[in-house]
Amino acid sequence: MIERPAMRSQILTVIGAIAALAAAALIIVPVSIVILSALSKPSSGFIGAFTLDNLKALGSPQDVGLLVNTVIFTIGASAIAIVLATVLAWINSSTNVPFPRLMQLIPLAPLLMPPLMRDTSWIQLYSPRAGLVNLVIEHVFGIDWPVFNIFSLTGMIVDVGINMVPMAYLIVFPALKSLNRSLDEASRLSGAGTLRTLREITVPIIKPAMLSAFAMLALVVASAFETPVVVGEPAGVGTYMSAIYRALSGGGTPDYNLASAQACIYFVLNAALLTWYLRATRREHMFQTVAGRGYSRAPGYSRWRWMLVLIPLVYFVLSFGQLFVQSLLVSFLPYYTVTQGFPFRTLSFGNYVKLFQQPHLRQAVANSVYVSGLSTIVTVAAAVVLSSIAFQTKIRGRRFVEFIGTLPLAIPPMVFSIALLITVLITPGLNRFYGTLAPLVLVNVVHFLPFAMRIVSASMLQISPELRESAAMSGAGVTRRLATISVPLIGVAVGYAGLLVFVQSFRELAAVVLLVGPDTPLVPSVALDLYFVGEAPMVSALNLVTVAIPAIVFGLVYGAYLLIRSLRRAIQAWRFRLSPAQ
């Protein structure tokens, strides 16, 4: 029986209203606290007497310089990431490059690397005075000046830009993977070459995915915590995030009000980028490429396939290989220095022995796995529901749901954790959750929801409504249409979203550093404590453990998936063999 449209609309409206109310409780309240704090006098507490002094301070020459550095840093790193991600996604989805399964996973390798591991390895390799690469170049070629300098704005851009490629790749690759290849074939039959086909066919079709990726990357880069503090501060290159960090942990009393005023810059940035994205994708039917006709495999590039494989391999070496090897070697050293000759002459497992003797490490690992797993399930489920409402329905206010899901990008993770902490402390009945794992899960869900929504919605934009209409005419209800049409078509995007959320939440530091209590340690907080006491080799050892644990969990989940799929196929084959006898 075909469901009545009015009833379906009412059900979706109720779901949208519940989602909006939940978002109001989890997002709007902490955001309001940040705004109120920015308009309060420091002498009156976190929220108190009204003043505009904090906002006026943003117009000082020093803050203008911070704004310029933040804008250059954001645009530069985002541009590098989106260009590299699009190239890698095109190679892996639209060519017959060798070893396709391996090549598709290579761009995701940096996801396994914690930010602290990445930044410290870049410094150890490319610092102007003690960088290992610079010293090798000086020794081999006799050059007495540093070729590379990570302690610069350019170094920060390259560092973060290369690391942000996986996030953009997870958005662009599913869009290219589900592209209607009949368009490429028609272009080639008309005599157009590869470059013209890319310029006039492929790029315009995946435009919403690229815009979505760039908007997300810009907000993530602008809110980056580790690189501006670890790399930018020693270089004297300040950004708004490093300024917020100084305001909160500059050695004196934390200035929450000034930090909140500086965080308002991100609200403005988010509003501008979100408005741009919504205007660019308002005509959704222009980007629908997954329909009930004309689907075919990607074309081949036999002459260039072995040359194209070099691009993912070079990216792998720069983004993961060199940094991982450097951190691995340092983890076996009693101490790291390059001023006394070759640093890797004495290697041992002493750091790992000392590491596993840390009293809170086992508990930190268990807490991190639990928090990351639960955060992944809740975040991906919420992203699918909200994206379905925003892009697969025609209910009133559907784009407001997308705005709510994107709003957390405007808040730097550290500032949001402060707002959440104050909210828990000042709200009656919520203070009992202080010092538990609940706030850690909540901050991860809210913080990573926009990322999951960008990945899922980029694929949902390409699903033509004719598929759902055909299923409805055949008698399929809302649940069946979702299970048999929408979910299978966005399965790749959902899987990538889950992988991103789990790995990122496992290593997330800025969002949880102020919420971790003595009874709820996490792996990133233990690494930060070791870093502050100068245990660089032990930090490298713990970073490698941080890389290994998500990889092991992902391997177990993927192995279970392959086992279930094999059992299902075996059962189907067994039933097929029995059917003639029956």
Side-chain angles (χ1 to χ4, degrees), residues 174-176 178-179 205-206 208-209 287-291 392 457-464:
L176 280 170
S178 58
L179 191 66
I205 290 177
I206 65 171
F287 309 112
Q288 292 166 356
T289 63
V290 181
Q392 298 293 302
S457 62
S459 291
M460 278 196 173
L461 274 174
Q462 296 181 308
I463 301 177
S464 175

Short mmCIF file of all heavy atoms in Angstrom, two decimals, residues 174-176 178-179 205-206 208-209 287-291 392 457-464:
data_model
loop_
_atom_site.label_atom_id
_atom_site.label_comp_id
_atom_site.label_asym_id
_atom_site.label_seq_id
_atom_site.Cartn_x
_atom_site.Cartn_y
_atom_site.Cartn_z
N PRO A 174 33.63 10.07 -3.39
CA PRO A 174 32.31 9.45 -3.63
C PRO A 174 31.54 10.13 -4.75
O PRO A 174 30.81 9.47 -5.50
CB PRO A 174 31.61 9.61 -2.28
CG PRO A 174 32.70 9.71 -1.28
CD PRO A 174 33.80 10.46 -1.98
N ALA A 175 31.67 11.48 -4.87
CA ALA A 175 30.98 12.18 -5.95
C ALA A 175 31.50 11.75 -7.32
O ALA A 175 30.73 11.54 -8.26
CB ALA A 175 31.14 13.69 -5.76
N LEU A 176 32.82 11.61 -7.45
CA LEU A 176 33.40 11.16 -8.72
C LEU A 176 33.11 9.68 -8.96
O LEU A 176 32.92 9.26 -10.11
CB LEU A 176 34.91 11.41 -8.71
CG LEU A 176 35.37 12.83 -9.03
CD1 LEU A 176 36.85 12.98 -8.74
CD2 LEU A 176 35.08 13.18 -10.48
N SER A 178 30.47 7.97 -8.17
CA SER A 178 29.09 7.74 -8.59
C SER A 178 28.71 8.56 -9.81
O SER A 178 27.53 8.67 -10.15
CB SER A 178 28.14 8.06 -7.44
OG SER A 178 28.30 9.40 -7.01
N LEU A 179 29.69 9.12 -10.51
CA LEU A 179 29.44 9.96 -11.67
C LEU A 179 28.88 9.13 -12.82
O LEU A 179 29.31 7.99 -13.05
CB LEU A 179 30.74 10.64 -12.11
CG LEU A 179 30.63 11.75 -13.14
CD1 LEU A 179 29.89 12.94 -12.56
CD2 LEU A 179 32.02 12.19 -13.58
N ILE A 205 30.16 19.15 -12.79
CA ILE A 205 29.22 18.24 -12.15
C ILE A 205 29.56 18.03 -10.67
O ILE A 205 28.67 17.94 -9.82
CB ILE A 205 29.20 16.89 -12.89
CG1 ILE A 205 28.52 17.07 -14.25
CG2 ILE A 205 28.47 15.82 -12.09
CD1 ILE A 205 28.50 15.82 -15.09
N ILE A 206 30.86 17.94 -10.37
CA ILE A 206 31.25 17.72 -8.97
C ILE A 206 31.46 19.05 -8.25
O ILE A 206 32.03 19.08 -7.15
CB ILE A 206 32.53 16.87 -8.88
CG1 ILE A 206 33.73 17.60 -9.50
CG2 ILE A 206 32.33 15.52 -9.52
CD1 ILE A 206 35.05 16.92 -9.24
N PRO A 208 29.40 20.98 -6.49
CA PRO A 208 28.92 21.07 -5.10
C PRO A 208 29.80 20.33 -4.12
O PRO A 208 29.98 20.78 -2.99
CB PRO A 208 27.51 20.45 -5.18
CG PRO A 208 27.52 19.62 -6.41
CD PRO A 208 28.41 20.33 -7.36
N ALA A 209 30.36 19.18 -4.54
CA ALA A 209 31.25 18.45 -3.65
C ALA A 209 32.53 19.25 -3.39
O ALA A 209 33.02 19.28 -2.26
CB ALA A 209 31.59 17.08 -4.24
N PHE A 287 23.01 18.97 -10.20
CA PHE A 287 24.14 18.15 -9.77
C PHE A 287 23.78 16.69 -9.60
O PHE A 287 24.57 15.91 -9.11
CB PHE A 287 24.69 18.70 -8.45
CG PHE A 287 24.95 20.17 -8.50
CD1 PHE A 287 24.18 21.04 -7.74
CD2 PHE A 287 25.94 20.68 -9.30
CE1 PHE A 287 24.42 22.40 -7.78
CE2 PHE A 287 26.18 22.05 -9.34
CZ PHE A 287 25.42 22.91 -8.59
N GLN A 288 22.55 16.29 -9.99
CA GLN A 288 22.14 14.91 -9.82
C GLN A 288 22.69 14.08 -10.97
O GLN A 288 22.38 14.33 -12.13
CB GLN A 288 20.62 14.81 -9.77
CG GLN A 288 20.02 15.46 -8.53
CD GLN A 288 18.54 15.65 -8.64
OE1 GLN A 288 17.94 15.39 -9.68
NE2 GLN A 288 17.93 16.12 -7.56
N THR A 289 23.52 13.10 -10.64
CA THR A 289 24.13 12.26 -11.66
C THR A 289 23.83 10.79 -11.45
O THR A 289 24.08 9.99 -12.33
CB THR A 289 25.66 12.44 -11.66
OG1 THR A 289 26.17 12.01 -10.40
CG2 THR A 289 26.05 13.88 -11.89
N VAL A 290 23.30 10.40 -10.28
CA VAL A 290 22.95 9.01 -10.03
C VAL A 290 21.47 8.86 -10.34
O VAL A 290 20.62 9.25 -9.55
CB VAL A 290 23.23 8.59 -8.58
CG1 VAL A 290 22.88 7.14 -8.38
CG2 VAL A 290 24.70 8.83 -8.26
N ALA A 291 21.17 8.32 -11.49
CA ALA A 291 19.80 8.15 -11.90
C ALA A 291 19.58 6.71 -12.33
O ALA A 291 20.47 5.87 -12.21
CB ALA A 291 19.45 9.12 -13.03
N GLN A 392 16.71 15.32 0.69
CA GLN A 392 15.85 14.32 0.08
C GLN A 392 14.37 14.55 0.38
O GLN A 392 13.55 13.68 0.12
CB GLN A 392 16.25 12.92 0.56
CG GLN A 392 17.67 12.52 0.18
CD GLN A 392 17.84 12.35 -1.32
OE1 GLN A 392 17.16 11.56 -1.95
NE2 GLN A 392 18.75 13.11 -1.89
N SER A 457 26.07 14.34 2.56
CA SER A 457 25.22 15.20 1.73
C SER A 457 25.78 15.36 0.32
O SER A 457 25.01 15.53 -0.63
CB SER A 457 25.06 16.58 2.38
OG SER A 457 26.31 17.23 2.50
N ALA A 458 27.10 15.31 0.17
CA ALA A 458 27.68 15.42 -1.18
C ALA A 458 27.20 14.28 -2.07
O ALA A 458 26.99 14.47 -3.27
CB ALA A 458 29.21 15.41 -1.09
N SER A 459 27.02 13.08 -1.52
CA SER A 459 26.49 11.97 -2.30
C SER A 459 24.97 12.04 -2.43
O SER A 459 24.41 11.68 -3.47
CB SER A 459 26.88 10.64 -1.65
OG SER A 459 28.27 10.42 -1.75
N MET A 460 24.28 12.52 -1.39
CA MET A 460 22.83 12.62 -1.46
C MET A 460 22.38 13.63 -2.52
O MET A 460 21.32 13.47 -3.13
CB MET A 460 22.26 13.00 -0.10
CG MET A 460 22.11 11.83 0.85
SD MET A 460 21.04 12.22 2.24
CE MET A 460 20.92 10.58 2.99
N LEU A 461 23.17 14.67 -2.74
CA LEU A 461 22.82 15.66 -3.75
C LEU A 461 22.74 15.05 -5.14
O LEU A 461 22.09 15.60 -6.03
CB LEU A 461 23.84 16.80 -3.75
CG LEU A 461 23.61 17.95 -2.78
CD1 LEU A 461 24.78 18.90 -2.80
CD2 LEU A 461 22.32 18.68 -3.11
N GLN A 462 23.42 13.93 -5.35
CA GLN A 462 23.49 13.33 -6.67
C GLN A 462 22.43 12.26 -6.91
O GLN A 462 22.37 11.67 -7.98
CB GLN A 462 24.88 12.72 -6.89
CG GLN A 462 25.99 13.76 -6.89
CD GLN A 462 27.35 13.13 -7.12
OE1 GLN A 462 27.72 12.18 -6.45
NE2 GLN A 462 28.07 13.64 -8.08
N ILE A 463 21.58 11.97 -5.91
CA ILE A 463 20.54 10.95 -6.07
C ILE A 463 19.30 11.60 -6.66
O ILE A 463 18.70 12.49 -6.06
CB ILE A 463 20.21 10.28 -4.73
CG1 ILE A 463 21.47 9.62 -4.14
CG2 ILE A 463 19.11 9.25 -4.90
CD1 ILE A 463 21.24 8.99 -2.79
N SER A 464 18.90 11.17 -7.84
CA SER A 464 17.73 11.73 -8.51
C SER A 464 16.46 11.29 -7.81
O SER A 464 16.33 10.12 -7.40
CB SER A 464 17.71 11.29 -9.97
OG SER A 464 16.51 11.73 -10.59
#
